[in-house]
Amino acid sequence: MAAIEKTGLILVVPEEFPAAEDMGPKWVQGMTNNATLIKSRLDAKIPDAGMFEQKLVAPAAEAYSPYVPVGFISKRGRTQAAIQNTHRKNLATAYNRWNDKLALAFETVDGVEAKRFKDQVANTVDAWLERVRTKTLRLTGDKVRGRGVSVIAGFWLTGEKETVSGMLREGDQAMGQAYDIAYDTQRPGFRAGLTQILTQTGVLVINSDMMQSVMDEQNNRLKTMLTALSDRAKSNEFAYPYDATKSYCAFEFSEDKGLYLRIRVVLGV
């Protein structure tokens, strides 16, 4: 069978998606009502300096290590190993400061449990709303005012024609209809996984101001995930960069469209 394009879709990411009026109050209420639970979970996850070393210090030191090249010697005469060891040691001795700041934030003040934490939440709600308006909501949308790219794509690629009907917005382009590429028993998990990775990769691309190297990195993540979870009887493997004989799902950017997601499903050889 010759390679045939089964479906195609272009989904535009809006410049912003304002938060609903009740999102800020709900976020504040949720965080403050769960202050005690948040603290208890932190204590359970990192109960002592040993676990602080394991959960925070070791991963941070490992992530930092590649930034000091082999053979490097600083102006103060420190070698790569000396710099890496100093960085790790400084992190390891930070437990007491970290623990003291947590205790202070969740301390009961004037009869109010976790008062400083709750005050901080109330003082940062505007910053939180700004982040979701310019990042997450641009990709997810919401149930009331319309779904976004990362949700629409999941319904489109599981063949939910009725559900996805009416979801497309101005600027979106459909070539064909919603088409199912998931294994028959895995459609809900496929949708959930695709929505999560599209939201995550999209935010990383937005944070980079659409830097091409970041877009390439994140699009390769999408390619790997979709190739692993899609049924070869329904779709060719996904490729990035574009290959006319392969399926394709990637973020792209142009001056006229801005940021958008392009989807193309191909089947056959």
Side-chain angles (χ1 to χ4, degrees), residues 58-182:
E62 184 177 349
Y64 172 77
S65 292
Y67 289 98
V68 186
V70 176
F72 175 79
I73 299 178
S74 73
K75 292 181 180 179
R76 300 173 68 180
R78 293 182 178 180
T79 63
Q80 179 200 45
I83 293 169
Q84 290 171 343
N85 289 337
T86 299
H87 179 255
R88 185 185 183 99
K89 190 67 174 178
N90 287 341
L91 289 173
T93 57
Y95 171 73
N96 287 337
R97 293 195 302 275
W98 178 82
N99 196 47
D100 289 345
K101 286 183 177 180
L102 273 183
L104 185 67
F106 287 91
E107 184 182 17
T108 297
V109 179
D110 298 330
V112 179
E113 191 174 28
K115 185 177 188 301
R116 294 186 185 92
F117 171 79
K118 293 174 181 178
D119 288 344
Q120 185 65 18
V121 168
N123 290 335
T124 57
V125 63
D126 288 342
W128 179 83
L129 288 170
E130 178 68 10
R131 287 196 299 274
V132 297
R133 176 181 70 83
T134 59
K135 296 179 184 180
T136 310
L137 286 177
R138 291 175 64 184
L139 295 153
T140 63
D142 65 31
K143 292 181 180 179
V144 177
R145 294 169 297 159
R147 294 297 200 176
V149 168
S150 60
V151 178
I152 296 171
F155 284 116
W156 191 271
L157 291 177
T158 51
E160 295 287 338
K161 297 180 179 67
E162 293 79 13
T163 303
V164 82
S165 176
M167 281 187 174
L168 301 187
R169 305 137 307 167
E170 184 179 355
D172 296 338
Q173 300 173 45
M175 288 68 77
Q177 295 185 328
Y179 176 79
D180 179 22
I181 67 171

Side-chain angles (χ1 to χ4, degrees), residues 38-49:
I38 291 169
K39 181 61 165 64
S40 65
R41 285 180 174 175
L42 279 170
D43 290 341
K45 193 173 184 67
I46 305 178
D48 51 40

Side-chain angles (χ1 to χ4, degrees), residues 166-240:
M167 281 187 174
L168 301 187
R169 305 137 307 167
E170 184 179 355
D172 296 338
Q173 300 173 45
M175 288 68 77
Q177 295 185 328
Y179 176 79
D180 179 22
I181 67 171
Y183 289 99
D184 292 342
T185 59
Q186 296 179 12
R187 291 188 189 97
F190 176 94
R191 279 196 301 272
L194 183 57
T195 296
Q196 181 178 13
I197 195 170
L198 282 173
T199 302
Q200 184 184 81
T201 55
V203 167
L204 290 171
V205 168
I206 290 169
N207 285 345
S208 76
D209 292 326
M210 276 57 78
M211 186 182 299
Q212 190 60 51
S213 61
V214 175
M215 205 173 297
D216 291 342
E217 179 183 55
Q218 300 309 315
N219 285 337
N220 274 305
R221 290 181 63 199
L222 290 174
K223 172 200 71 176
T224 301
M225 181 267 193
L226 283 164
T227 293
L229 296 185
S230 56
D231 186 345
R232 289 290 75 77
K234 300 176 181 179
S235 166
N236 289 356
E237 66 179 340
F238 282 75
Y240 184 81

